[in-house]
Amino acid sequence: MTGREWEMVVPAGSLPLARWRALRWSSGTGSALRRARSFMILTTLLYRASHLTVGVLAVAQHRPDRPVPYLGLAAALGLSILVYGTALRRGWFDPRQVGADVLVTGCALPFALYAWGGVRDTPSLGWAMLLGGSASAVAAVALTRPYALAAVALLVATHLYGYHLVGASRAVLGGHLNSLVSSAVMAWVMWWYLRRQGRLLDEANARALAAEAEKARYAERLAHHRALHDTVLATLTALAAGGIDANAPEVRQRCAREAAYLRRLVQRGADEVPHPGIGAALEEAVGSAESLGLRVTAQYHRLPEVPPEVAAAFADATREALNNVRRHAGTGHAYLTATECPAGPDGRPGAVVTVVDRGPGFDPGTRESGFGLRRSVHGRLAEVGGRAVVDTAPGEGVRVELRWPA
């Protein structure tokens, strides 16, 4: 099978795979739940920001000779930055930080203002009490149910006593306790709904991904069936009919190429599919070498997604390595493996392609690299951030390893 025949067959089966990968990357399992968490973090952050704004305006009216309100506001602001900064960075709240926020901002701050800040009236204490509402809201969504109930109960008890110390009216007391409890209840109901909808959406996405994967596998099987019909089956039918000479050199070469194609199909795992980029590029290079009489045993495993220029560089370097085997190894047989390599510093998986022959090899210390090896192998990989390594010794054959990224 030639490189042109591969190009005609593989992309036809790989088109559903491209749609499947696009769906998987754009709506991966768990993404809806992550978005629900992000929305909940943003909602409670805005709630806390509104209470801190009231606190800034209230503290600005205090006399400068009383630093405790300023220190209390600074402590509330610092804890808010810690709690919400961590949540935004990690994707969800740290329960220990939320507990500290409830104890310090929600419970201790009003008593500190009363004991050391000279606060003796309801309006002056109101901004600190407001912060208890946002503390109860985040506790309701970030803590487990027993701890969330305990946090809200503690806030209610301490705020009852705090307003009692400054002689707040029953109307103020009732309105504030209603705000404390309703903030927690509304936040919990919103989080329950968002979490439920996120899970339902993720389950729907998972089912869609499974359906797309099955369609891709079915299309891939059809593509291989067409390829087998047009190549291997056609050759066997012609041989069975007796219309051609089975010992003719061109027939033997065709049979060898198609046997190599079948070998690659058999060796591929059940769930593996050729990547439309690097897989097709490498197979074209293999087909080009086979058309010139070189027998290539190729194996592909878990080929990763690579940029088009990297796939082209791999193909050019592989073609030159195979040409070197054909010209210099004297064996007429090369072995090619291509697989995924561990992720690099950027987290993206790379690829490694190895071309091996069992020829006489050479002493790299006494032979200078030729133009093709220097420019088409080393040079092509270096241009895209990869590297090529040639390992050889007299009587040991030649092993060329192409790796990206370097």
Side-chain angles (χ1 to χ4, degrees):
M1 184 183 65
T2 65
R4 173 177 289 276
E5 290 170 338
W6 178 268
E7 289 179 349
M8 293 171 60
V9 171
V10 171
S14 299
L15 287 176
L17 292 175
R19 292 196 295 269
W20 172 46
R21 288 189 173 98
L23 178 62
R24 182 184 64 186
W25 292 337
S26 63
S27 58
T29 301
S31 60
L33 187 57
R34 287 194 296 270
R35 288 194 292 269
R37 286 184 171 184
S38 299
F39 181 81
M40 203 67 223
I41 293 171
L42 179 60
T43 301
T44 53
L45 172 60
L46 292 175
Y47 193 35
R48 171 57 62 88
S50 67
H51 292 173
L52 287 173
T53 301
V54 174
V56 170
L57 296 176
V59 171
Q61 300 175 4
H62 283 73
R63 294 178 305 187
D65 59 341
R66 292 186 177 273
V68 173
Y70 296 95
L71 294 176
L73 179 62
L77 181 61
L79 263 175
S80 300
I81 293 174
L82 176 64
V83 170
Y84 291 96
T86 301
L88 291 172
R89 186 172 64 254
R90 297 182 180 177
W92 194 235
F93 296 101
D94 185 332
R96 294 170 298 180
Q97 295 176 1
V98 172
D101 181 64
V102 169
L103 293 175
V104 175
T105 303
C107 298
L109 180 59
F111 294 103
L113 294 177
Y114 178 83
W116 300 298
V119 174
R120 294 294 184 271
D121 58 277
T122 301
S124 299
L125 193 64
W127 69 269
M129 294 298 197
L130 271 180
L131 290 171
S134 52
S136 70
V138 71
V141 301
L143 303 179
T144 58
R145 185 173 301 175
Y147 286 103
L149 292 174
V152 174
L154 181 62
L155 287 168
V156 168
T158 54
H159 283 217
L160 269 174
Y161 186 63
Y163 267 134
H164 172 72
L165 291 177
V166 295
S169 65
R170 291 190 175 185
V172 171
L173 189 59
H176 180 69
L177 293 183
N178 176 69
S179 175
L180 272 179
V181 176
S182 61
S183 294
V185 171
M186 287 189 293
W188 183 85
V189 170
M190 182 184 296
W191 173 229
W192 172 83
Y193 178 78
L194 290 174
R195 183 171 51 188
R196 179 177 179 273
Q197 295 302 111
R199 286 174 177 169
L200 292 175
L201 182 57
D202 284 334
E203 290 173 1
N205 285 337
R207 290 192 295 270
L209 287 172
E212 286 290 328
E214 182 59 31
K215 288 172 59 179
R217 285 191 290 267
Y218 178 71
E220 187 66 26
R221 287 194 295 269
L222 289 180
H224 287 311
H225 291 167
R226 289 193 295 268
L228 292 173
H229 176 273
D230 297 339
T231 57
V232 178
L233 184 59
T235 302
L236 292 176
T237 302
L239 289 173
I244 59 174
D245 182 8
N247 292 318
E250 59 273 14
V251 175
R252 294 171 63 88
Q253 291 175 3
R254 179 185 177 96
C255 290
R257 288 195 298 270
E258 293 174 1
Y261 172 58
L262 284 176
R263 190 178 299 109
R264 286 191 285 274
L265 287 182
V266 172
Q267 291 172 342
R268 183 178 301 139
D271 293 331
E272 292 184 45
V273 290
H275 192 276
I278 186 174
L282 291 175
E283 190 64 22
E284 182 180 0
V286 169
S288 176
E290 288 178 332
S291 67
L292 297 176
L294 180 67
R295 180 186 171 194
V296 181
T297 299
Q299 295 183 350
Y300 306 111
H301 180 62
R302 293 177 58 87
L303 295 179
E305 174 79 23
V306 299
E309 63 273 14
V310 175
F314 269 120
D316 291 342
T318 299
R319 185 179 293 106
E320 180 60 26
L322 293 174
N323 286 338
N324 285 337
V325 174
R326 182 179 57 84
R327 289 193 298 261
H328 306 302
T331 65
H333 193 180
Y335 301 86
L336 181 145
T337 60
T339 185
E340 180 182 270
C341 65
D346 60 352
R348 297 176 57 185
V352 57
V353 177
T354 305
V355 177
V356 178
D357 68 70
R358 296 175 180 172
F362 60 89
D363 185 357
T366 60
R367 180 183 299 182
E368 184 179 358
S369 298
F371 179 83
L373 187 62
R374 185 172 61 252
R375 295 291 300 274
S376 297
V377 178
H378 290 284
R380 286 292 289 160
L381 265 295
E383 288 175 0
V384 295
R387 64 182 174 92
V389 177
V390 178
D391 183 16
T392 183
E396 299 292 336
V398 179
R399 179 179 182 272
V400 178
E401 181 184 276
L402 312 174
R403 184 179 293 271
W404 179 89

